[in-house]
Amino acid sequence: MIVIHHLNNSRSQRILWLLEELGLEYEIRFYKRNEINRAPPELKQAHPLGKSPIVEDGVHKIAESGAAVDYLIRTYGGGKYMPAPGAAVFEKYNEWMHYAEGSAMVPFLMKLFTSMLGEGGEPLQPVIDAEIALHLGYMNDELGSKPFFMGDELTGADIMLTFICEAADSRIGLDGYDNLSAYVERMHARPAYQRGLEKGGPYELIRTRKD
């Protein structure tokens, strides 16, 4: 039985979504953020870093969400959800997989941390906002009118990148990034996404639209 150590309002929601897309049985061990929005110390009993997600499958324990997505797809995907290694499009897929938690996530984390500084963080905000706009513009243009980032089929790149889009949507909105806004709605409408959401519990990165 696959076990996922799931922290509310975290990257682990993307793993629940993927597990539902794959149609796998799994056990969820729930953890709740504390009053300062940090993971509880109990998570360190599952992994020394005390971060979520943590996926356990037999002898394997994987603590990085990108690595967990890659492992689950390679092990249980049956050839779906990723291009074949060596295919012309594989390198672009691999780039998106690393981009999500590499370049794309950094300015959002910077904005989160500097916002805690109050006036002390204000001088950095224009630079951070420009970086966020750079990445959202890049993703919006690269996605274009395609249903998914790699074309016509859902891949691990979408599992990874949707979280970035959700973070942007919940914190600053996606006004002006119409491709990304429509994309988020499409991903949220997927039955597997909805099942993962139901099992994972409240998830504050989904913004309620008023249109």
Side-chain angles (χ1 to χ4, degrees):
M1 175 70 73
I2 296 171
V3 175
I4 174 169
H5 297 263
H6 172 60
L7 178 67
N8 65 307
N9 295 324
S10 79
R11 295 164 172 83
S12 57
Q13 188 63 47
R14 59 167 53 130
I15 307 300
L16 299 181
W17 173 23
L18 176 58
L19 288 166
E20 291 295 329
E21 292 282 359
L22 292 167
L24 299 174
E25 294 186 4
Y26 58 96
E27 174 189 341
I28 305 176
R29 296 183 185 169
F30 291 91
Y31 302 82
K32 188 175 182 180
R33 293 181 181 275
N34 59 26
E35 63 278 0
I36 58 172
N37 204 33
R38 300 297 300 275
E42 290 80 11
L43 252 176
K44 289 188 176 181
Q45 296 175 16
H47 190 278
L49 291 177
K51 307 293 184 181
S52 180
I54 301 163
V55 174
E56 296 186 53
D57 186 22
V59 299
H60 302 294
K61 180 180 286 188
I62 305 167
E64 290 290 332
S65 58
V69 168
D70 180 59
Y71 169 79
L72 291 169
I73 288 174
R74 285 187 291 106
T75 305
Y76 299 105
K80 296 176 61 178
Y81 305 109
M82 65 177 289
V89 295
F90 178 81
E91 297 308 328
K92 186 61 180 179
Y93 165 81
N94 196 40
E95 180 183 313
W96 281 128
M97 290 288 289
H98 289 276
Y99 169 81
E101 285 297 321
S103 298
M105 197 62 192
V106 170
F108 290 101
L109 291 174
M110 290 177 64
K111 191 167 186 67
L112 174 64
F113 293 144
T114 56
S115 69
M116 299 176 183
L117 299 175
E119 292 183 0
E122 288 183 4
L124 291 172
Q125 294 309 312
V127 177
I128 295 171
D129 291 343
E131 279 294 301
I132 289 175
L134 173 67
H135 286 288
L136 292 179
Y138 170 66
M139 288 190 290
N140 190 74
D141 292 345
E142 288 287 307
L143 176 63
S145 60
K146 300 191 300 291
F148 304 99
F149 270 91
M150 291 303 299
D152 295 329
E153 300 291 337
L154 180 81
T155 69
D158 300 293
I159 303 295
M160 295 297 294
L161 292 168
T162 294
F163 181 83
I164 305 299
C165 297
E166 289 172 338
D169 196 25
S170 66
R171 291 168 184 160
I172 63 173
L174 289 173
D175 296 339
Y177 306 102
D178 294 346
N179 297 334
L180 294 182
S181 182
Y183 171 78
V184 169
E185 292 193 26
R186 289 197 302 275
M187 299 305 103
H188 287 177
R190 293 182 67 85
Y193 187 98
Q194 290 296 317
R195 291 195 301 271
L197 197 64
E198 183 178 352
K199 292 180 181 179
Y203 184 54
E204 295 178 3
L205 269 70
I206 293 181
R207 181 171 68 90
T208 301
R209 290 171 167 79
K210 299 179 180 180
D211 47 19

